[in-house]
Amino acid sequence: MAGTSLRTYLITRLALVVPMVFILLTLVFLLLRVAPGNPIQAALGGHVPAAYVHQIEHRLGFDKPLITQYGEYLWNILRGNFGTTITDNRPLSQIIEQNGAATLELTFFAMLIAIVVGVLIGLVAGRYRDTPLDIFGRLFGIFIYATPVFFLGLMAQLVFGVWLGWLPTSDQASPITQALLQTHTNIFFVDAIWDGNWGALWDITKHLILPATTLGLVTAGVFIRLVRVNVIRTMRDDYIEAARARGIAEHRVVFAHAFKNALVPVITIVGLNLAILLGGAVLTETTFNWPGIGHELVVYLENRDYTAVQGIIIVFALVVVAVSVLVDFLNAYVDPRIRY
Amino acid sequence: MAATAPASPRTPYGRARLLALGRATKPIREASGIARGMFWAGVGITFAFILMAFLAPVISRYNFSQYKANGVRFPQLGHPSGLHWMGTTVQSDDVMARVIYGAQTELKVVVIALAMSLSIGVPLGLISGYFGGILDRALVLIMDAIFAFPYLLIAIVIAFVLSTSSIGGGIFTAAIAITAAYVPLYFRVVRNHVISVREEPYVDAARALGARPRTVIRKYVFFNVVQNVPPIATLNAADAILLLASLGFLGYGIQPTQGAEWGYDVSRAVSDASSGIWWTGLFPGLAIVLLVTGLTLLGEGLNETINPVLRRRRFGQFDFEPVPGAVEEAE
């Protein structure tokens, strides 16, 4: 059927993004602006003269009618202006650039580890269903899923950081490296390669190992379960039976026929798990004092800085929406059935 | 029929219900070795934690916020010892007491949160799926938007807003935060199932007989759809424990004076770790892992047995196990 072309699909999908973003933005606004309590007072603490509070309220436009505030809020975001934090007057764009880069570095490597570990164990467990390998894989998946990322991080710090003394347990790089590293992309790992600064790269890698492995392993738990079920489902399909009936060697049936098809949904799984990964990043960054955007979120939450919290949440929302669109595009490209 | 019915009006109904129960648990009884083992291991672990929660005052030697006994203050960061099996924290609290009482907090919050998300998500999904139309579209859009969002962040924001307002922190705040994160999930599951059930012949038949939507939903759709809920709710309970612990870790769960919470205890332990102190973090953390594992096993076991796609019966179609005698005969 030539009914729906890829391009039509893309346009329809993009059109659906608009209401989704709009709803998310509205929910964030409702939660943070309309909620009871005075955010400015909360951010400044209890012992501030009322006049000063009013002054700041006026500067931020919090004294206008809610509808006007809502309009201005949407308009500002549309222009890419996410505001400035109340407590330390930092533009949100700066937070996105600097701390966002740290989060990107962490989540990228964590995702890599999660995919490798999760897909491998999931495939093996699904292929050798109900054998000891499967039981081991599944139990590992359940255990790792049941382990809170901050607990795994804490134990990793204890074992590899404190007792064995192999790896650093906090920060993105040692202070010397941070001072000497030239900034190109804000992503330390890339910057070090850019300059060919191998000493710095080694230092950065050492700092990265514990947080990325922790976050990656915990995320892998979800992958194991989903990949396993997918393999089992695919192995039951008629075309596998057909391939076997035609006398194709079992290993070829498994690798060329079953695994390939079982892995198509993994793209979706990876995309869906980005949301979970971002949530986990907030916890991992807090555990390892990693200067990412999730770490900043926790700090601003503690300081009751509503503008900062609002801005960071919006950034997360936009990233999640963007990734979900990207995943749908990839899926439509790989599997033509989805387009209809 | 008319003569016997008044004599024992409840008997036929009761019998029918018993049979229905028998049918419902049949997949569990027929499950194959691994699924059964996992299921029962899950039941055991979960039950042990429930028991621990109820018997906390009996089992635990100290209270969760107790820092002295008989006028003697407990040691600070004391090693595990005969008096304090799991050691003490920097505030001189007994780690074991906090682990035991923690079970109370987790179960309370999770039960409240699940009850709330079910009682919001399921009816919304039923109505939205059954009636369709603009309401359905609007709800789907909103729920999908929330669903796409990292649920930890939803919970954090809700807990943050509530704790700033007059409501303050506590068990209810935590439960509401968790509820907000899970309503979309139940909504989606129930709605999608209702849509497929809505067109079934027996529902059509009920409608053709003139049953009102209320009756159709209650008598025909609801019981069909609600079968999917137990495995999801169990897996969700596991997830909710992790979520509560995460909130506690970030300081948005239960206030330390209100109850013991494992996530909060682990967060306190992060600063101890740098000096090699392991007992303040290890035990509450292990408690989380164990309870979540138990609930996951229980949920997965239910899922495997109830979900026909994954089900493998003990004497399934393709699983003819060689009967020892038969094999000998054949050879």
Side-chain angles (χ1 to χ4, degrees):
Chain A
M1 279 227 303
T4 319
S5 70
L6 192 59
R7 195 205 270 163
T8 325
Y9 174 79
L10 298 189
I11 292 168
T12 336
R13 183 66 187 81
L14 274 178
L16 279 173
V17 166
V18 178
M20 192 165 174
V21 169
F22 176 74
I23 288 168
L24 275 174
L25 292 178
T26 308
L27 284 176
V28 172
F29 180 84
L30 284 176
L31 269 176
L32 288 172
R33 289 279 185 88
V34 187
N38 184 338
I40 310 290
Q41 184 79 57
L44 296 174
H47 307 290
V48 183
Y52 184 62
V53 174
H54 289 312
Q55 192 193 324
I56 300 230
E57 269 181 351
H58 184 69
R59 182 163 65 82
L60 293 168
F62 276 42
D63 52 350
K64 291 178 192 157
L66 272 179
I67 286 290
T68 323
Q69 282 190 45
Y70 179 58
E72 280 177 6
Y73 160 85
L74 286 182
W75 174 237
N76 275 329
I77 294 169
L78 205 66
R79 287 187 310 161
N81 175 10
F82 291 72
T84 311
T85 63
I86 304 176
T87 42
D88 57 0
N89 235 340
R90 227 175 130 200
L92 255 296
S93 52
Q94 194 193 335
I95 296 180
I96 298 166
E97 241 171 69
Q98 294 174 353
N99 305 100
T103 300
L104 194 66
E105 187 180 294
L106 173 65
T107 43
F108 176 79
F109 285 101
M111 191 53 106
L112 211 64
I113 291 170
I115 292 174
V116 172
V117 174
V119 168
L120 272 182
I121 297 184
L123 284 179
V124 171
R127 169 67 188 86
Y128 298 102
R129 188 181 184 194
D130 289 354
T131 64
L133 269 177
D134 179 30
I135 299 172
F136 173 78
R138 291 182 76 185
L139 282 181
F140 177 78
I142 289 173
F143 259 117
I144 205 77
Y145 167 80
T147 310
V149 64
F150 51 84
F151 177 57
L152 190 65
L154 179 68
M155 290 299 119
Q157 284 181 7
L158 259 175
V159 175
F160 297 103
V162 181
W163 289 340
L164 296 174
W166 289 350
L167 296 163
T169 57
S170 72
D171 298 322
Q172 201 184 354
S174 57
I176 302 170
T177 309
Q178 293 202 29
L180 294 178
L181 195 66
Q182 301 275 335
T183 305
H184 303 286
T185 59
N186 278 316
I187 303 169
F188 283 12
F189 197 83
V190 177
D191 286 352
I193 295 175
W194 190 306
D195 286 345
N197 188 344
W198 308 121
L201 187 68
W202 175 232
D203 182 55
I204 290 161
T205 311
K206 276 204 301 192
H207 279 82
L208 190 59
I209 290 175
L210 283 186
T213 313
T214 306
L215 183 55
L217 278 180
V218 170
T219 316
V222 192
F223 284 80
I224 293 173
R225 294 162 73 165
L226 295 171
V227 171
R228 176 180 173 273
V229 170
N230 257 325
V231 170
I232 291 173
R233 209 170 276 165
T234 319
M235 292 291 286
R236 281 186 179 184
D237 275 346
D238 291 341
Y239 69 90
I240 297 291
E241 204 71 15
R244 279 190 185 137
R246 274 183 282 142
I248 295 171
E250 182 67 17
H251 69 91
R252 228 191 108 66
V253 173
V254 170
F255 283 99
H257 296 244
F259 284 3
K260 224 166 132 189
N261 278 292
L263 285 180
V264 170
V266 168
I267 305 171
T268 318
I269 301 169
V270 169
L272 285 176
N273 276 289
L274 196 95
I276 298 172
L277 195 72
L278 281 179
V282 175
L283 296 168
T284 314
E285 287 171 6
T286 309
T287 314
F288 287 95
N289 199 24
W290 187 266
I293 202 163
H295 178 264
E296 294 306 289
L297 174 69
V298 174
V299 171
Y300 284 118
L301 279 166
E302 254 163 51
N303 296 334
R304 309 227 164 277
D305 190 328
Y306 272 69
T307 4
V309 171
Q310 176 190 298
I312 293 175
I313 295 285
I314 291 170
V315 171
F316 274 124
L318 293 181
V319 169
V320 168
V321 171
V323 170
S324 78
V325 172
L326 198 72
V327 165
D328 283 355
F329 281 5
L330 275 177
N331 261 331
Y333 184 74
V334 175
D335 187 350
R337 282 174 296 182
I338 292 169
R339 283 177 234 160
Y340 300 108
Chain B
M1 188 67 192
T4 50
S8 56
R10 285 178 167 270
T11 320
Y13 187 59
R15 245 185 88 82
R17 178 160 280 193
L18 214 76
L19 281 175
L21 198 74
R23 270 201 305 279
T25 54
K26 198 175 165 203
I28 294 172
R29 286 181 282 119
E30 283 189 349
S32 71
I34 299 171
R36 246 160 86 99
M38 280 176 49
F39 176 75
W40 287 113
V43 171
I45 296 173
T46 310
F47 189 69
F49 271 95
I50 294 174
L51 214 63
M52 192 162 104
F54 276 103
L55 298 180
V58 184
I59 307 170
S60 179
R61 215 184 306 185
Y62 314 105
N63 196 358
F64 64 86
S65 56
Q66 188 179 346
Y67 57 92
K68 57 183 178 185
N70 306 324
V72 183
R73 200 185 158 101
F74 297 156
Q76 277 188 324
L77 293 173
H79 271 274
S81 64
L83 276 175
H84 304 282
W85 291 359
M86 295 182 184
T88 56
T89 69
V90 77
Q91 272 109 12
S92 301
D93 292 326
D94 182 62
V95 175
M96 192 169 174
R98 291 194 66 83
V99 168
I100 294 173
Y101 274 92
Q104 279 189 347
T105 314
E106 311 290 321
L107 288 176
K108 260 187 233 167
V109 175
V110 167
V111 166
I112 298 174
L114 276 189
M116 286 201 293
S117 20
L118 280 172
S119 54
I120 298 171
V122 173
L124 274 184
L126 278 172
I127 294 169
S128 185
Y130 187 78
F131 292 107
I134 294 174
L135 177 82
D136 181 46
R137 292 197 172 192
L139 275 174
V140 167
L141 257 180
I142 294 173
M143 293 291 178
D144 274 1
I146 304 176
F147 192 72
F149 207 66
Y151 60 71
L152 175 64
L153 287 181
I154 300 170
I156 292 176
V157 173
I158 304 265
F160 165 70
V161 170
L162 289 179
S163 64
T164 323
S165 73
S166 50
I167 300 165
I171 286 180
F172 256 101
T173 304
I176 293 172
I178 295 172
T179 303
Y182 289 138
V183 164
L185 175 77
Y186 290 105
F187 172 81
R188 272 171 72 117
V189 169
V190 171
R191 176 193 169 269
N192 290 344
H193 197 141
V194 168
I195 284 183
S196 65
V197 166
R198 191 176 61 182
E199 309 303 333
E200 292 283 332
Y202 62 87
V203 177
D204 263 345
R207 262 198 300 259
L209 284 170
R212 280 174 305 172
R214 215 182 124 93
T215 320
V216 177
I217 292 179
R218 261 181 41 201
K219 298 202 81 161
Y220 300 94
V221 180
F222 177 72
F223 281 106
N224 228 296
V225 169
V226 91
Q227 283 181 1
N228 283 354
V229 170
I232 299 170
T234 320
L235 288 174
N236 215 213
D239 227 44
I241 302 257
L242 283 177
L243 188 51
L244 174 66
S246 306
L247 282 177
F249 182 78
L250 295 173
Y252 290 96
I254 315 299
Q255 299 307 305
T257 46
Q258 289 177 320
E261 204 281 313
W262 299 329
Y264 173 84
D265 289 353
V266 176
S267 79
R268 298 288 98 183
V270 172
S271 52
D272 302 339
S274 51
S275 40
I277 291 163
W278 50 271
W279 57 88
T280 50
L282 179 71
F283 296 113
L286 277 183
I288 303 173
V289 176
L290 250 179
L291 179 53
V292 176
T293 306
L295 285 167
T296 311
L297 287 175
L298 182 62
E300 293 239 310
L302 282 177
N303 206 9
E304 284 240 340
T305 44
I306 290 175
N307 188 348
V309 180
L310 295 173
R311 178 163 52 206
R312 258 197 182 186
R313 296 209 168 143
R314 253 184 295 175
F315 299 105
Q317 223 180 324
F318 303 106
D319 301 320
F320 290 116
E321 280 180 9
V323 184
V327 174
E328 274 166 25
E329 266 174 37
E331 285 167 5

